[in-house]
Amino acid sequence: MKFKKKSLDFLKDYLNTASPTGYEHRGQALWTNYLKPYVDVIESDHYGTCYGIINPEAEFKVVIEAHADEISWYVNYITDDGLIYVIRNGGSDQMIAPSKVVHIHGEKGVVKGVFGWPAIHTRGANANEPVPKIENIFIDCGATSKKEVEALGIHVGCMITYPDEFFELNDRYFVGRALDNRIGGFMIAEVARLIKENKNKLPFGLYIVNSVQEEVGLYGADMIADTLKPNLAIITDVTHDTTTPMIDKKKEGDQKCGNGPVVFFAPSVHHHVRDLIVKTANEKKIPYQRAAASRATGTDTDAFAHSNGGVPSALISLPLRYMHTTVEMVDKKDVQNVIQLIYETLLKITPDLKLKYH
């Protein structure tokens, strides 16, 4: 399986479009436009979760799901001399902020700014050297007063995103911000494309769901699960490549970019659905890895699994380096294999699939 030019063009545009938690609409518009030719119906809910449906009249409902949002910052406080202090929107990492360019989404449009930081000459090389904290990182947008900042259309509550753009590295990796988890939205859309182009006739209704607000509490998945009431859900998200420096494999497990999709074992993961995924991977010779989560997966899997009295759910994750930075990296082969694994698994699902343990 190779990526089509149309698919790669969509992926680039999709990743380069700001789609922070609570403001996912621009990215969702691109996603639904790409998905539309491959599904029978496009729908959305009040908070912006979007989904396409194949066979909308079918009683048995299967969901494949990813989340659409990216981490960002809110303007929280503007000083009298025009500096901006922030709070997180999602799991934004203060350690990478100093010297980063940002886009402040104000009432008059996007305003550029920078996360400033004291020069090395002024900090001193000792134990008291400051480190980035949420309390001391700040944005300078070139203004000299609060009044001037406000005149630019910037106010408390404005969204702040990073403008870093998508690129390919060494013809092996996709690199950029927001791969967590718009790469998931790309992958499930590609599954829908394969079903359409291969003229597969599914014996169930397939709901291709791109949820909002995962980064702040799985809220979009929680809402849409209650709306759709699916019979089965397969979630895709990213997980850590633990082979990079300063990660403890004894704590985080052993997963690596290039070694295939990661199939999770966790309380919210349904044994029969996971076993079907593993069986499919083995039969189709799709490489895969295993990972465990002790309480919760921390993904939308938990929201679906615990909804509606319990929805049999499983998680297929994509190994990723440098999560919640602007240089997140995934191996292109893994992306292809996640798409193929979800697609081949769907072809094995029937409405009479055994889902009860007893």
Side-chain angles (χ1 to χ4, degrees):
M1 174 187 171
K2 299 293 183 182
F3 293 114
K4 293 189 173 184
K5 183 180 185 300
K6 179 183 177 182
S7 299
L8 287 177
D9 288 346
F10 160 65
L11 177 62
K12 180 178 179 180
D13 289 344
Y14 187 41
L15 289 171
N16 288 346
T17 299
S19 189
T21 303
Y23 294 80
E24 297 93 345
H25 47 277
R26 290 182 62 216
Q28 294 289 60
L30 286 173
W31 186 79
T32 53
N33 184 61
Y34 181 75
L35 185 67
K36 191 173 183 178
Y38 310 128
V39 299
D40 299 319
V41 179
I42 294 282
E43 299 284 359
S44 63
D45 71 7
H46 293 304
Y47 273 85
T49 290
C50 296
Y51 54 101
I53 314 172
I54 298 172
N55 300 338
E57 302 302 321
E59 290 186 11
F60 193 85
K61 300 178 183 180
V62 175
V63 161
I64 57 174
E65 191 263 8
H67 72 84
D69 55 331
E70 65 180 295
I71 58 170
S72 57
W73 305 94
Y74 279 116
V75 173
N76 187 50
Y77 170 63
I78 305 170
T79 69
D80 290 340
D81 53 358
L83 297 176
I84 298 168
Y85 285 82
V86 299
I87 56 173
R88 294 185 178 93
N89 185 27
S92 302
D93 188 350
Q94 76 278 1
M95 296 298 290
I96 70 163
S99 83
K100 293 295 295 183
V101 176
V102 296
H103 282 171
I104 308 167
H105 299 262
E107 291 179 337
K108 298 180 180 180
V110 172
V111 178
K112 281 198 170 186
V114 296
F115 272 112
W117 194 246
I120 189 172
H121 317 69
T122 68
R123 298 199 308 264
N126 55 54
N128 295 322
E129 182 176 357
V131 296
K133 300 177 182 177
I134 193 69
E135 298 86 3
N136 65 13
I137 58 172
F138 61 92
I139 292 171
D140 189 333
C141 63
T144 59
S145 68
K146 181 177 182 179
K147 184 178 181 180
E148 193 174 341
V149 171
E150 292 173 339
L152 294 172
I154 299 170
H155 57 78
V156 170
C158 282
M159 192 59 59
I160 302 160
T161 59
Y162 294 116
D164 300 69
E165 295 195 340
F166 167 86
F167 64 96
E168 295 185 41
L169 185 64
N170 194 28
D171 197 31
R172 177 178 290 122
Y173 294 103
F174 292 143
V175 181
R177 71 175 212 286
L179 287 169
D180 176 13
N181 181 37
R182 287 210 287 284
I183 192 67
F186 169 75
M187 293 189 295
I188 59 175
E190 287 296 279
V191 171
R193 179 181 65 78
L194 288 178
I195 291 169
K196 180 72 171 183
E197 293 180 353
N198 293 334
K199 300 180 180 180
N200 300 118
K201 300 298 182 183
L202 301 177
F204 51 81
L206 180 63
Y207 292 69
I208 302 96
V209 178
N210 212 11
S211 296
V212 299
Q213 298 191 29
E214 187 272 351
E215 295 289 357
V216 292
L218 320 182
Y219 296 134
D222 188 44
M223 290 184 276
I224 201 64
D226 287 345
T227 298
L228 298 181
K229 295 179 171 53
N231 300 96
L232 185 153
I234 297 174
I235 313 305
T236 186
D237 207 325
V238 295
T239 193
H240 303 288
D241 177 334
T242 61
T243 65
T244 57
M246 296 180 283
I247 296 180
D248 185 353
K249 291 183 181 179
K250 294 188 293 296
K251 177 182 177 183
E252 301 293 342
D254 188 5
Q255 301 85 231
K256 183 179 182 180
C257 286
N259 283 4
V262 179
V263 178
F264 261 83
F265 291 69
S268 60
V269 172
H270 194 278
H271 296 194
H272 295 333
V273 182
R274 183 192 61 229
D275 290 348
L276 179 63
I277 291 168
V278 170
K279 180 181 179 182
T280 301
N282 289 329
E283 288 182 358
K284 298 297 180 178
K285 294 181 169 48
I286 301 170
Y288 67 95
Q289 307 172 74
R290 298 171 185 254
S294 61
R295 291 178 61 86
T297 67
T299 72
D300 285 341
T301 312
D302 305 325
F304 273 90
H306 302 150
S307 70
N308 299 289
V311 173
S313 302
L315 172 61
I316 302 174
S317 287
L318 177 70
L320 175 142
R321 293 182 168 192
Y322 319 126
M323 192 179 295
H324 285 202
T325 74
T326 56
V327 291
E328 295 178 332
M329 295 172 56
V330 296
D331 192 299
K332 293 193 288 185
K333 293 184 301 182
D334 291 337
V335 175
Q336 292 171 334
N337 282 321
V338 169
I339 294 167
Q340 200 66 31
L341 182 53
I342 296 173
Y343 171 73
E344 296 289 354
T345 300
L346 289 175
L347 297 185
K348 290 182 176 294
I349 294 174
T350 60
D352 60 355
L353 179 69
K354 181 184 177 183
L355 294 173
K356 290 187 177 181
Y357 288 144
H358 302 291

